[in-house]
Amino acid sequence: MQYDVHIIGGGLAGSEAAWQLARRGLKVRLSEMRGAGDRSPAHQTDQLAELVCSNSFRSDDDTSNAVGLLHHEMRALDSLVMAAAAKARVPAGSALAVDRDVFSAQVEAALAGLPNLTVVRERIDTLPAAGLTIVATGPLTAESLAGSIGRATGAESLAFFDAIAPIVYRDSIDMDVAWMASRWDKGAEASFEMGGDGRDYINCPMTREQYAEFHAGLMAGEKTEFKEWEANTPYFDGCMPIEVMASRGVETLRFGPMKPVGLDNPHWATEEHPNGRWPYAVVQLRQDNKLGTLWNMVGFQTKLKHAEQVRLFRTIPGLENAEFARLGGLHRNTFLNSPTLLDRQLRLKSAPHIRFAGQITGCEGYVESSAVGLIAGLMTACELAGTDWQAPPATTALGALLSHITGDAEADSYQPMNVNFGLFPPLHDVKKKARKAAYTDRAKADLSDWKQAATL
């Protein structure tokens, strides 16, 4: 089949871009190297839109949270990723978490239902010399294609390290020690709607002594060694290995992934404290699949060697007999210096028939990657239709993220970025406590106006 657009990469961004284009009647070729004998260091399956790190799309609160607002905006634009996430959702309090396999299956089924979309399992080694192309190969772009991109940009891609958290089998967790609760019972209403009971996390408590021993073990544990060329590659702060966080101070983890506030341990109930007391530190696990058989260790992405992970994590109360469906890992990610290399429509300045989308542009996170894929699809559809592209206002989450990637960020210090209210035009006339709600109210109104005026 002849095609109008060639999309390279079947991850979140590529799948979203393909959906936006093909459902508008355009002919799309989607090339994915997994399934053709190749696989990245982080992927485990050949499924489209495979989630390789967490199973969480983070907060679904669209009233006071930037990523929740991005969820809202993507739903308003018929996002495939958001629709698939709704069908694959598992209880996670106020967060949007999904069953990985169900999510990928939903994406594949939706794309398979588009007769003008062809998915080809093939590795693309060089950038096409002609024809509208969207490169959405993610931060683990194959070496040959990465080399081609480097030659086309005339600049070396930046790089950072990304880590993966372990996943534990639910029936190997000792619930006589651990208990189920959400912090401050936050998100209980959303949990009930998803079939949960408002207690969506498994919590493993630690005393002061246990925490001190765990911290010491984390510091002493044998870690993955970097190759010489990797030595100066930075970590992305949003996916920092737990041992790197721990190295910043003994108490750091207690104010991060292991904070105990808002979690009463019922196993420690007394007559004076019938609801229990807060532990000194807590390890939380979040449901990872629909069946509830797999739970991932929240914030426990790590570069510890596998044997060391098993030994150390089994010292956590409640995980003494833990069995692991997947252990943590570390992989090197690459991304473009997009503010320098891409124009305002995500096109490569030196080869404008090529757009980039997803994490390779320097956005960070599943939702952000999908959002940039969505926008790249809309831009390309407008170009093929011969209509002028109107970018979403910078006051919206989509517009703020796009503006950051395509020119508003400081190029010399450009690093992967999650969507956040710091990317939005400031509101100076609103009190600080009301500012987040004001950002979201303004964004929703401006997105609605943009949708009515734009030709999409």
Side-chain angles (χ1 to χ4, degrees), residues 55 100-101 167-170 286-296 324-326:
N55 72 320
R100 300 165 192 268
D101 293 332
I167 295 176
V168 179
Y169 288 105
R170 169 66 171 79
R286 178 180 56 232
Q287 187 173 329
D288 202 82
N289 66 344
K290 283 272 192 184
L291 294 174
T293 56
L294 301 176
W295 290 68
N296 66 67
F324 297 90
R326 182 187 75 187

PDB file of all heavy atoms in Angstrom, residues 55 100-101 167-170 286-296 324-326:
ATOM      1  N   ASN A  55       3.958   1.373  35.547  1.00  0.00           N
ATOM      2  CA  ASN A  55       2.658   1.184  34.895  1.00  0.00           C
ATOM      3  C   ASN A  55       1.727   2.356  35.192  1.00  0.00           C
ATOM      4  O   ASN A  55       0.532   2.268  34.972  1.00  0.00           O
ATOM      5  CB  ASN A  55       1.996  -0.119  35.353  1.00  0.00           C
ATOM      6  CG  ASN A  55       1.494  -0.048  36.788  1.00  0.00           C
ATOM      7  OD1 ASN A  55       2.168   0.514  37.659  1.00  0.00           O
ATOM      8  ND2 ASN A  55       0.347  -0.619  37.050  1.00  0.00           N
ATOM      9  N   ARG A 100      -0.346  -3.463  32.153  1.00  0.00           N
ATOM     10  CA  ARG A 100       0.516  -3.253  30.982  1.00  0.00           C
ATOM     11  C   ARG A 100       0.053  -4.038  29.756  1.00  0.00           C
ATOM     12  O   ARG A 100      -0.009  -3.506  28.639  1.00  0.00           O
ATOM     13  CB  ARG A 100       1.948  -3.681  31.308  1.00  0.00           C
ATOM     14  CG  ARG A 100       2.596  -2.951  32.445  1.00  0.00           C
ATOM     15  CD  ARG A 100       3.853  -3.714  32.886  1.00  0.00           C
ATOM     16  NE  ARG A 100       4.344  -3.202  34.149  1.00  0.00           N
ATOM     17  CZ  ARG A 100       5.254  -2.238  34.267  1.00  0.00           C
ATOM     18  NH1 ARG A 100       5.781  -1.719  33.194  1.00  0.00           N
ATOM     19  NH2 ARG A 100       5.638  -1.805  35.448  1.00  0.00           N
ATOM     20  N   ASP A 101      -0.215  -5.333  29.943  1.00  0.00           N
ATOM     21  CA  ASP A 101      -0.568  -6.184  28.805  1.00  0.00           C
ATOM     22  C   ASP A 101      -1.914  -5.791  28.212  1.00  0.00           C
ATOM     23  O   ASP A 101      -2.082  -5.768  26.986  1.00  0.00           O
ATOM     24  CB  ASP A 101      -0.589  -7.657  29.239  1.00  0.00           C
ATOM     25  CG  ASP A 101       0.803  -8.162  29.603  1.00  0.00           C
ATOM     26  OD1 ASP A 101       1.788  -7.633  29.065  1.00  0.00           O
ATOM     27  OD2 ASP A 101       0.896  -9.094  30.424  1.00  0.00           O
ATOM     28  N   ILE A 167       9.219  -5.712  40.108  1.00  0.00           N
ATOM     29  CA  ILE A 167       7.816  -6.121  40.244  1.00  0.00           C
ATOM     30  C   ILE A 167       7.762  -7.409  41.059  1.00  0.00           C
ATOM     31  O   ILE A 167       8.529  -8.345  40.821  1.00  0.00           O
ATOM     32  CB  ILE A 167       7.158  -6.335  38.869  1.00  0.00           C
ATOM     33  CG1 ILE A 167       7.087  -5.011  38.099  1.00  0.00           C
ATOM     34  CG2 ILE A 167       5.767  -6.944  39.014  1.00  0.00           C
ATOM     35  CD1 ILE A 167       6.533  -5.142  36.696  1.00  0.00           C
ATOM     36  N   VAL A 168       6.847  -7.437  42.053  1.00  0.00           N
ATOM     37  CA  VAL A 168       6.741  -8.537  43.008  1.00  0.00           C
ATOM     38  C   VAL A 168       5.424  -9.279  42.798  1.00  0.00           C
ATOM     39  O   VAL A 168       4.392  -8.670  42.512  1.00  0.00           O
ATOM     40  CB  VAL A 168       6.803  -7.993  44.457  1.00  0.00           C
ATOM     41  CG1 VAL A 168       6.664  -9.116  45.483  1.00  0.00           C
ATOM     42  CG2 VAL A 168       8.102  -7.229  44.675  1.00  0.00           C
ATOM     43  N   TYR A 169       5.454 -10.615  42.949  1.00  0.00           N
ATOM     44  CA  TYR A 169       4.217 -11.390  42.926  1.00  0.00           C
ATOM     45  C   TYR A 169       3.431 -11.131  44.213  1.00  0.00           C
ATOM     46  O   TYR A 169       3.971 -11.252  45.316  1.00  0.00           O
ATOM     47  CB  TYR A 169       4.517 -12.881  42.796  1.00  0.00           C
ATOM     48  CG  TYR A 169       5.020 -13.290  41.424  1.00  0.00           C
ATOM     49  CD1 TYR A 169       6.365 -13.583  41.209  1.00  0.00           C
ATOM     50  CD2 TYR A 169       4.140 -13.366  40.343  1.00  0.00           C
ATOM     51  CE1 TYR A 169       6.828 -13.951  39.948  1.00  0.00           C
ATOM     52  CE2 TYR A 169       4.594 -13.731  39.081  1.00  0.00           C
ATOM     53  CZ  TYR A 169       5.933 -14.028  38.892  1.00  0.00           C
ATOM     54  OH  TYR A 169       6.384 -14.387  37.643  1.00  0.00           O
ATOM     55  N   ARG A 170       2.144 -10.802  44.057  1.00  0.00           N
ATOM     56  CA  ARG A 170       1.300 -10.433  45.197  1.00  0.00           C
ATOM     57  C   ARG A 170       1.243 -11.527  46.257  1.00  0.00           C
ATOM     58  O   ARG A 170       1.275 -11.241  47.464  1.00  0.00           O
ATOM     59  CB  ARG A 170      -0.116 -10.118  44.673  1.00  0.00           C
ATOM     60  CG  ARG A 170      -1.202  -9.960  45.737  1.00  0.00           C
ATOM     61  CD  ARG A 170      -0.958  -8.739  46.622  1.00  0.00           C
ATOM     62  NE  ARG A 170      -2.088  -8.469  47.480  1.00  0.00           N
ATOM     63  CZ  ARG A 170      -2.352  -9.143  48.606  1.00  0.00           C
ATOM     64  NH1 ARG A 170      -1.570 -10.131  48.987  1.00  0.00           N
ATOM     65  NH2 ARG A 170      -3.396  -8.809  49.340  1.00  0.00           N
ATOM     66  N   ARG A 286       2.475  -0.789  44.202  1.00  0.00           N
ATOM     67  CA  ARG A 286       1.273  -0.397  43.473  1.00  0.00           C
ATOM     68  C   ARG A 286       0.893  -1.512  42.498  1.00  0.00           C
ATOM     69  O   ARG A 286       1.750  -2.113  41.855  1.00  0.00           O
ATOM     70  CB  ARG A 286       1.538   0.893  42.695  1.00  0.00           C
ATOM     71  CG  ARG A 286       0.373   1.388  41.846  1.00  0.00           C
ATOM     72  CD  ARG A 286       0.735   2.668  41.111  1.00  0.00           C
ATOM     73  NE  ARG A 286       1.923   2.512  40.300  1.00  0.00           N
ATOM     74  CZ  ARG A 286       2.976   3.341  40.354  1.00  0.00           C
ATOM     75  NH1 ARG A 286       3.001   4.361  41.173  1.00  0.00           N
ATOM     76  NH2 ARG A 286       4.021   3.121  39.574  1.00  0.00           N
ATOM     77  N   GLN A 287      -0.408  -1.775  42.384  1.00  0.00           N
ATOM     78  CA  GLN A 287      -0.896  -2.831  41.499  1.00  0.00           C
ATOM     79  C   GLN A 287      -0.415  -2.605  40.073  1.00  0.00           C
ATOM     80  O   GLN A 287      -0.475  -1.495  39.546  1.00  0.00           O
ATOM     81  CB  GLN A 287      -2.423  -2.874  41.535  1.00  0.00           C
ATOM     82  CG  GLN A 287      -3.039  -4.044  40.793  1.00  0.00           C
ATOM     83  CD  GLN A 287      -4.540  -4.127  41.002  1.00  0.00           C
ATOM     84  OE1 GLN A 287      -5.046  -3.734  42.057  1.00  0.00           O
ATOM     85  NE2 GLN A 287      -5.261  -4.628  40.018  1.00  0.00           N
ATOM     86  N   ASP A 288       0.056  -3.687  39.418  1.00  0.00           N
ATOM     87  CA  ASP A 288       0.659  -3.559  38.106  1.00  0.00           C
ATOM     88  C   ASP A 288      -0.164  -4.223  37.003  1.00  0.00           C
ATOM     89  O   ASP A 288       0.075  -3.984  35.826  1.00  0.00           O
ATOM     90  CB  ASP A 288       2.070  -4.168  38.120  1.00  0.00           C
ATOM     91  CG  ASP A 288       2.950  -3.626  37.019  1.00  0.00           C
ATOM     92  OD1 ASP A 288       3.516  -2.547  37.196  1.00  0.00           O
ATOM     93  OD2 ASP A 288       3.057  -4.284  35.961  1.00  0.00           O
ATOM     94  N   ASN A 289      -1.116  -5.098  37.364  1.00  0.00           N
ATOM     95  CA  ASN A 289      -1.951  -5.723  36.340  1.00  0.00           C
ATOM     96  C   ASN A 289      -3.388  -5.846  36.823  1.00  0.00           C
ATOM     97  O   ASN A 289      -3.682  -5.690  38.009  1.00  0.00           O
ATOM     98  CB  ASN A 289      -1.389  -7.085  35.913  1.00  0.00           C
ATOM     99  CG  ASN A 289      -1.441  -8.118  37.029  1.00  0.00           C
ATOM    100  OD1 ASN A 289      -1.623  -7.793  38.210  1.00  0.00           O
ATOM    101  ND2 ASN A 289      -1.263  -9.371  36.677  1.00  0.00           N
ATOM    102  N   LYS A 290      -4.311  -6.115  35.890  1.00  0.00           N
ATOM    103  CA  LYS A 290      -5.735  -6.170  36.212  1.00  0.00           C
ATOM    104  C   LYS A 290      -6.038  -7.247  37.248  1.00  0.00           C
ATOM    105  O   LYS A 290      -6.908  -7.084  38.101  1.00  0.00           O
ATOM    106  CB  LYS A 290      -6.549  -6.459  34.936  1.00  0.00           C
ATOM    107  CG  LYS A 290      -6.714  -5.267  34.021  1.00  0.00           C
ATOM    108  CD  LYS A 290      -7.947  -4.458  34.399  1.00  0.00           C
ATOM    109  CE  LYS A 290      -8.275  -3.445  33.314  1.00  0.00           C
ATOM    110  NZ  LYS A 290      -9.416  -2.586  33.700  1.00  0.00           N
ATOM    111  N   LEU A 291      -5.353  -8.382  37.143  1.00  0.00           N
ATOM    112  CA  LEU A 291      -5.610  -9.493  38.052  1.00  0.00           C
ATOM    113  C   LEU A 291      -5.165  -9.199  39.478  1.00  0.00           C
ATOM    114  O   LEU A 291      -5.583  -9.873  40.416  1.00  0.00           O
ATOM    115  CB  LEU A 291      -4.896 -10.753  37.551  1.00  0.00           C
ATOM    116  CG  LEU A 291      -5.390 -11.337  36.224  1.00  0.00           C
ATOM    117  CD1 LEU A 291      -4.492 -12.494  35.796  1.00  0.00           C
ATOM    118  CD2 LEU A 291      -6.832 -11.797  36.354  1.00  0.00           C
ATOM    119  N   GLY A 292      -4.311  -8.205  39.634  1.00  0.00           N
ATOM    120  CA  GLY A 292      -3.793  -7.893  40.964  1.00  0.00           C
ATOM    121  C   GLY A 292      -2.749  -8.883  41.431  1.00  0.00           C
ATOM    122  O   GLY A 292      -2.432  -8.948  42.624  1.00  0.00           O
ATOM    123  N   THR A 293      -2.167  -9.632  40.513  1.00  0.00           N
ATOM    124  CA  THR A 293      -1.150 -10.629  40.882  1.00  0.00           C
ATOM    125  C   THR A 293       0.253 -10.052  40.895  1.00  0.00           C
ATOM    126  O   THR A 293       1.164 -10.639  41.488  1.00  0.00           O
ATOM    127  CB  THR A 293      -1.186 -11.809  39.900  1.00  0.00           C
ATOM    128  OG1 THR A 293      -1.019 -11.315  38.565  1.00  0.00           O
ATOM    129  CG2 THR A 293      -2.517 -12.553  39.990  1.00  0.00           C
ATOM    130  N   LEU A 294       0.450  -8.908  40.229  1.00  0.00           N
ATOM    131  CA  LEU A 294       1.764  -8.284  40.144  1.00  0.00           C
ATOM    132  C   LEU A 294       1.711  -6.878  40.734  1.00  0.00           C
ATOM    133  O   LEU A 294       0.799  -6.107  40.445  1.00  0.00           O
ATOM    134  CB  LEU A 294       2.232  -8.196  38.686  1.00  0.00           C
ATOM    135  CG  LEU A 294       2.342  -9.510  37.911  1.00  0.00           C
ATOM    136  CD1 LEU A 294       2.709  -9.242  36.464  1.00  0.00           C
ATOM    137  CD2 LEU A 294       3.369 -10.433  38.554  1.00  0.00           C
ATOM    138  N   TRP A 295       2.707  -6.543  41.556  1.00  0.00           N
ATOM    139  CA  TRP A 295       2.774  -5.239  42.210  1.00  0.00           C
ATOM    140  C   TRP A 295       4.188  -4.690  42.075  1.00  0.00           C
ATOM    141  O   TRP A 295       5.164  -5.403  42.333  1.00  0.00           O
ATOM    142  CB  TRP A 295       2.384  -5.372  43.690  1.00  0.00           C
ATOM    143  CG  TRP A 295       0.924  -5.673  43.861  1.00  0.00           C
ATOM    144  CD1 TRP A 295       0.278  -6.831  43.506  1.00  0.00           C
ATOM    145  CD2 TRP A 295      -0.076  -4.789  44.379  1.00  0.00           C
ATOM    146  NE1 TRP A 295      -1.062  -6.723  43.779  1.00  0.00           N
ATOM    147  CE2 TRP A 295      -1.311  -5.489  44.328  1.00  0.00           C
ATOM    148  CE3 TRP A 295      -0.046  -3.504  44.900  1.00  0.00           C
ATOM    149  CZ2 TRP A 295      -2.497  -4.923  44.769  1.00  0.00           C
ATOM    150  CZ3 TRP A 295      -1.231  -2.940  45.342  1.00  0.00           C
ATOM    151  CH2 TRP A 295      -2.438  -3.643  45.275  1.00  0.00           C
ATOM    152  N   ASN A 296       4.297  -3.415  41.661  1.00  0.00           N
ATOM    153  CA  ASN A 296       5.635  -2.848  41.508  1.00  0.00           C
ATOM    154  C   ASN A 296       6.012  -1.994  42.719  1.00  0.00           C
ATOM    155  O   ASN A 296       5.165  -1.401  43.375  1.00  0.00           O
ATOM    156  CB  ASN A 296       5.764  -2.062  40.200  1.00  0.00           C
ATOM    157  CG  ASN A 296       4.922  -0.830  40.135  1.00  0.00           C
ATOM    158  OD1 ASN A 296       5.160   0.133  40.870  1.00  0.00           O
ATOM    159  ND2 ASN A 296       3.916  -0.812  39.252  1.00  0.00           N
ATOM    160  N   PHE A 324      10.072 -12.309  42.622  1.00  0.00           N
ATOM    161  CA  PHE A 324      10.100 -11.175  41.702  1.00  0.00           C
ATOM    162  C   PHE A 324       9.764 -11.604  40.275  1.00  0.00           C
ATOM    163  O   PHE A 324      10.394 -12.506  39.721  1.00  0.00           O
ATOM    164  CB  PHE A 324      11.477 -10.502  41.731  1.00  0.00           C
ATOM    165  CG  PHE A 324      11.813  -9.918  43.080  1.00  0.00           C
ATOM    166  CD1 PHE A 324      12.477 -10.674  44.037  1.00  0.00           C
ATOM    167  CD2 PHE A 324      11.455  -8.619  43.403  1.00  0.00           C
ATOM    168  CE1 PHE A 324      12.780 -10.147  45.282  1.00  0.00           C
ATOM    169  CE2 PHE A 324      11.748  -8.081  44.639  1.00  0.00           C
ATOM    170  CZ  PHE A 324      12.413  -8.843  45.580  1.00  0.00           C
ATOM    171  N   ALA A 325       8.761 -10.939  39.707  1.00  0.00           N
ATOM    172  CA  ALA A 325       8.427 -11.172  38.300  1.00  0.00           C
ATOM    173  C   ALA A 325       9.416 -10.445  37.399  1.00  0.00           C
ATOM    174  O   ALA A 325       9.658 -10.860  36.260  1.00  0.00           O
ATOM    175  CB  ALA A 325       7.012 -10.682  38.001  1.00  0.00           C
ATOM    176  N   ARG A 326       9.984  -9.353  37.899  1.00  0.00           N
ATOM    177  CA  ARG A 326      11.001  -8.604  37.176  1.00  0.00           C
ATOM    178  C   ARG A 326      11.850  -7.874  38.188  1.00  0.00           C
ATOM    179  O   ARG A 326      11.328  -7.313  39.153  1.00  0.00           O
ATOM    180  CB  ARG A 326      10.353  -7.583  36.233  1.00  0.00           C
ATOM    181  CG  ARG A 326      11.370  -6.791  35.405  1.00  0.00           C
ATOM    182  CD  ARG A 326      10.709  -5.677  34.616  1.00  0.00           C
ATOM    183  NE  ARG A 326      10.339  -4.557  35.486  1.00  0.00           N
ATOM    184  CZ  ARG A 326       9.628  -3.507  35.066  1.00  0.00           C
ATOM    185  NH1 ARG A 326       9.188  -3.464  33.827  1.00  0.00           N
ATOM    186  NH2 ARG A 326       9.338  -2.523  35.898  1.00  0.00           N
TER     187      ARG A 326
END
